[in-house]
Amino acid sequence: MDGTLSETPTPDTDEAGRQGPQGKLPILALTALGIVFGDIGTSPLYTYKTILGVTEGSPNGGVVLGTLSLVLWTLFIVTTVKYVSFAMRVDNDGEGGILALMALLGVKRQQRPTIVAVGLFGAALIYGDGAITPSISVLSALEGLNMATPALQPYVVPAAVAILVALFAIQSRGTQAIGHLFGPVMLVWFVTIALLGVSGIVKHPSVFAAVNPVYGLSYLFSHGANGFWVLGAVFLCVTGAEALYADMGHFGRRPIKLAWYAIVFPSLILNYAGQAALVLEGAPTEGNIFFRLCPDPLLIPLIVLATIATIIASQSIITGAFSMTRQAIQLGWLPRMTIKQTSSEGYGQIYVGVVNWLLMIVTVGLTIGFRKSDNLASAYGIAVSLTMLMTSTLLFIAMREIWGWSRWAAGAVAGFFLIVDSAFFLANLTKIGEGGYVPVILAICVYGIMWIWHRGSEAVAARMHEALIPVPEFMAHIEAKKIPRVPGTAVFPTRTERDTPPVMVWHVKHNRALHEHLFVLRVDVLSVPWVSPRDRLTVQTVAPNYWRAAARFGFMERPHIPELLAASKSLGCTIDLDDVTYYVGRETVVPREDGKGLPAWQERIFAVMERNAVHVSDFFHLPPDQVVEIGRQVAI
């Protein structure tokens, strides 16, 4: 994990946490187009054709207007009302997303297992659907080649695999060089799909009657089970809505709202209406109705633009997975991993190799296994619909505890969201047997890893606290045994909040000597994304030349102990920074023999993760030539 000590918000922020001054608002909104809206912005490529594939019989006027009405009102209720108007007002110091919301509700200050379970499983579900997004997006774009030149159909899947492998392969290089183009390219994309939609609407302007929700409700209640199951396809139009909330910390609330209301929302409405108008006009529904909006001479350029847009959308999903992984590590729910900062310009531009390659394997496997975007659409949506359901649950608690709303007011608003989310989730349940089990299984695996890692970490910490020695007793032992004090400063990172760190006790036991200056440091990751530099470090003297310090970091920050030591000088610590040795423990996890520890299978899995986690010296940026490791077995 690379970085500096105090990655704090820029001075020019508003109440959302990380927004630039007013003059930069349009620039930030343009940049947000390339990071935040790629997923939801490319959904017209596959959503309406999937809806038409689910409806029974040939689409007549009632079916077309009814399904279009459902799409328009889903975009409005789920994205505009729930996420833009409500969820984005519940930020954790400017950060959004289900993990930030979970942390905001105080899960580290008090035991709230239900909230933790909801938040973690919601995050795990995002990983599951995140593996599908690049595959379905790129496939749906390239399938336009089938309409341009049917002879190219055998090459769609190989081309999609090649693009996806190349996309994941370049992640370690970062996107700084081309990232500034993402916003303008997506602006061109949204303008293009809006114009395509207008070209369809002029052929059948009456399509705008679908703005009346009666058409959607009539279709829903007059077509029996099919009217309900079609919601699973309609839901595809908002599968990227969670990203608006999760990426809020990158840009702030106002740029995202501006981009949504001014560009994205109108473009999506126009394009979906244009596709529906084309169907009403009698256009063939075989293939992809999206590409039928395009004049034949411009079809190949549109396919190229769509492919680029889906690559950008996939990039956003991958970057979001990296950011969520870092949050989970900092909050103590995933093992430490190597995190590489790929750019000095943006904190969110990082690379997590393990996550990258695992995502690539799953995404490429899904592409090869399902082969068509229609097949992937059957697996898509169930995970993110469940995530949205969990977000609504946490929003209810936030309305009560953070906004101070009454139970009736919070229940009315959150209850409405829960009804909508539940309907979409139940409709998506029909996809379980058609591939929907894939993201759910992935999510269960990720959740299991998080849960076992946290349980194991707590078990190790509990064992460490069982044999703590008070500092006066330990120092008295040093004097009584005439343990020599050698020149220099010894720094002991520790999990303990009091008494003598076990690493210091082991050091004296094995080396029979102790440095003249002792500095014990505990690093706490708080349930906020950022900590002010003035609140970063506290130091207290517990004995002559013996200091105990507590460092606080937000879950979006990167601990850097050498820089903390430099800061401690201003707090009265008389240590020699040029003569420092770091003593860190390396625990080997073994099962307890008294039968009171973790179940054997959990202990084995945790032990494997512990052995493969990034070592604490790397995590804290300790100079390798100044680190001494002391090992011991810890029975959990």
Side-chain angles (χ1 to χ4, degrees):
M1 179 174 278
D2 302 329
T4 58
L5 169 63
S6 55
E7 287 282 348
T8 56
T10 59
D12 299 313
T13 58
D14 70 357
E15 79 282 0
R18 237 162 319 288
Q19 299 176 31
Q22 185 68 28
K24 292 184 179 180
L25 183 59
I27 297 175
L28 289 172
L30 177 62
T31 308
L33 284 179
I35 302 299
V36 178
F37 296 101
D39 189 2
I40 197 169
T42 54
S43 60
L45 282 166
Y46 49 80
T47 297
Y48 205 68
K49 74 164 186 172
T50 303
I51 293 172
L52 294 177
V54 174
T55 56
E56 295 177 333
S58 58
N60 55 36
V63 170
V64 173
L65 292 179
T67 54
L68 176 61
S69 182
L70 290 173
V71 169
L72 300 183
W73 281 96
T74 297
L75 281 169
F76 178 71
I77 293 172
V78 174
T79 309
T80 303
V81 177
K82 176 183 172 181
Y83 281 98
V84 176
S85 300
F86 279 90
M88 290 179 66
R89 291 170 56 197
V90 188
D91 64 277
N92 191 341
D93 192 22
E95 295 294 334
I98 195 165
L99 277 182
L101 180 57
M102 180 192 79
L104 181 66
L105 296 177
V107 298
K108 295 198 76 172
R109 294 193 302 272
Q110 51 187 308
Q111 295 298 317
R112 310 188 79 169
T114 302
I115 292 178
V116 169
V118 168
L120 290 183
F121 195 64
L125 286 163
I126 293 175
Y127 283 104
D129 250 12
I132 297 180
T133 297
S135 182
I136 191 174
S137 299
V138 174
L139 271 176
S140 60
L142 291 176
E143 284 170 354
L145 293 171
N146 297 339
M147 300 178 65
T149 309
L152 294 177
Q153 182 173 355
Y155 302 100
V156 169
V157 173
V161 170
I163 289 173
L164 290 170
V165 170
L167 176 64
F168 283 101
I170 65 172
Q171 290 303 309
S172 61
R173 300 174 180 268
T175 59
Q176 181 176 0
I178 60 173
H180 63 282
L181 296 176
F182 286 178
V185 169
M186 291 306 296
L187 177 61
V188 172
W189 168 255
F190 284 115
V191 171
T192 300
I193 66 172
L195 292 176
L196 290 174
V198 171
S199 71
I201 292 169
V202 296
K203 297 177 181 178
H204 215 296
S206 63
V207 73
F208 271 125
V211 172
N212 186 342
V214 172
Y215 284 97
L217 293 173
S218 174
Y219 178 86
L220 205 58
F221 293 109
S222 64
H223 284 72
N226 183 261
F228 183 73
W229 303 137
V230 80
L231 287 179
V234 170
F235 182 74
L236 296 176
C237 73
V238 290
T239 49
E242 189 78 23
L244 275 70
Y245 186 33
D247 288 332
M248 186 169 64
H250 292 293
F251 304 100
R253 184 185 309 134
R254 289 174 59 205
I256 293 177
K257 290 178 68 173
L258 174 61
W260 172 253
Y261 285 119
I263 299 171
V264 182
F265 192 31
S267 299
L268 293 175
I269 289 176
L270 290 172
N271 191 265
Y272 283 120
Q275 292 186 52
L278 211 59
V279 177
L280 284 178
E281 188 66 13
T285 56
E286 297 83 11
N288 194 329
I289 194 68
F290 172 86
F291 288 107
R292 294 194 184 278
L293 287 170
C294 183
D296 290 340
L298 298 178
L299 185 55
I300 294 299
L302 177 62
I303 293 171
V304 173
L305 177 61
T307 303
I308 295 173
T310 55
I311 290 173
I312 293 174
S314 302
Q315 175 64 55
S316 302
I317 291 294
I318 296 168
T319 301
F322 293 163
S323 297
M324 190 164 61
T325 299
R326 177 166 57 189
Q327 290 187 36
I329 292 171
Q330 298 287 51
L331 289 171
W333 293 100
L334 280 177
R336 296 179 298 273
M337 303 179 196
T338 300
I339 298 179
K340 174 185 175 184
Q341 192 75 30
T342 59
S343 170
S344 59
E345 292 184 358
Y347 180 77
Q349 296 191 37
I350 58 174
Y351 171 71
V352 186
V354 173
V355 174
N356 182 68
W357 298 119
L358 288 176
L359 266 180
M360 187 197 77
I361 292 170
V362 175
T363 300
V364 171
L366 289 171
T367 304
I368 296 173
F370 285 85
R371 302 191 67 80
K372 294 175 63 178
S373 61
D374 290 343
N375 298 334
L376 274 168
S378 299
Y380 198 34
I382 184 170
V384 75
S385 64
L386 186 53
T387 300
M388 289 183 176
L389 187 62
M390 293 178 172
T391 299
S392 295
T393 302
L394 296 184
L395 279 176
F396 169 75
I397 301 172
M399 290 172 185
R400 295 275 293 129
E401 298 184 0
I402 298 173
W403 292 351
W405 284 16
S406 69
R407 182 174 301 171
W408 293 107
V413 175
F416 174 69
F417 295 150
L418 285 168
I419 291 172
V420 173
D421 293 336
S422 297
F424 282 122
F425 174 64
L426 291 174
N428 273 290
L429 280 179
T430 60
K431 301 178 179 181
I432 283 287
E434 301 174 6
Y437 60 87
V438 174
V440 174
I441 290 175
L442 289 172
I444 291 173
C445 292
V446 173
Y447 178 79
I449 289 172
M450 290 179 170
W451 180 66
I452 291 173
W453 175 258
H454 193 68
R455 287 204 71 195
S457 299
E458 288 189 327
V460 170
R463 293 291 282 175
M464 294 292 188
H465 281 77
E466 288 179 359
L468 292 179
I469 302 174
V471 172
E473 180 181 331
F474 177 74
M475 299 308 293
H477 171 78
I478 296 296
E479 292 184 11
K481 295 295 184 180
K482 300 189 182 314
I483 302 294
R485 304 296 294 271
V486 299
T489 300
V491 176
F492 298 90
T494 183
R495 297 185 181 97
T496 62
E497 298 178 0
R498 56 182 174 79
D499 300 328
T500 308
V503 178
M504 187 184 295
V505 177
W506 306 337
H507 167 51
V508 171
K509 178 180 179 181
H510 292 291
N511 297 321
R512 297 178 177 83
L514 189 62
H515 289 68
E516 288 180 343
H517 297 85
L518 307 174
F519 191 90
V520 176
L521 176 65
R522 175 183 171 87
V523 175
D524 289 317
V525 178
L526 307 183
S527 297
V528 296
W530 312 92
V531 172
S532 169
R534 65 177 176 272
D535 300 324
R536 175 81 65 215
L537 186 67
T538 56
V539 180
Q540 65 179 51
T541 303
V542 295
N545 293 328
Y546 186 137
W547 297 272
R548 187 171 189 103
R552 289 165 290 276
F553 289 87
F555 58 78
M556 291 292 289
E557 297 180 285
R558 297 160 290 193
H560 197 297
I561 287 183
E563 292 186 4
L564 281 173
L565 293 184
S568 70
K569 296 281 287 185
S570 64
L571 299 176
C573 226
T574 59
I575 59 177
D576 184 2
L577 296 177
D578 296 325
D579 188 12
V580 173
T581 303
Y582 300 91
Y583 289 89
V584 297
R586 179 177 284 276
E587 297 91 7
T588 300
V589 174
V590 296
R592 291 180 64 155
E593 297 180 354
D594 57 8
K596 297 181 180 179
L598 298 180
W601 66 273
Q602 292 182 26
E603 181 274 327
R604 294 192 196 100
I605 295 175
F606 176 77
V608 171
M609 289 192 286
E610 175 71 25
R611 286 196 300 270
N612 290 279
V614 171
H615 193 255
V616 66
S617 58
D618 298 319
F619 188 74
F620 287 144
H621 295 87
L622 304 183
D625 57 349
Q626 294 176 250
V627 175
V628 176
E629 291 186 358
I630 300 176
R632 64 162 287 187
Q633 289 187 336
V634 179
I636 62 171

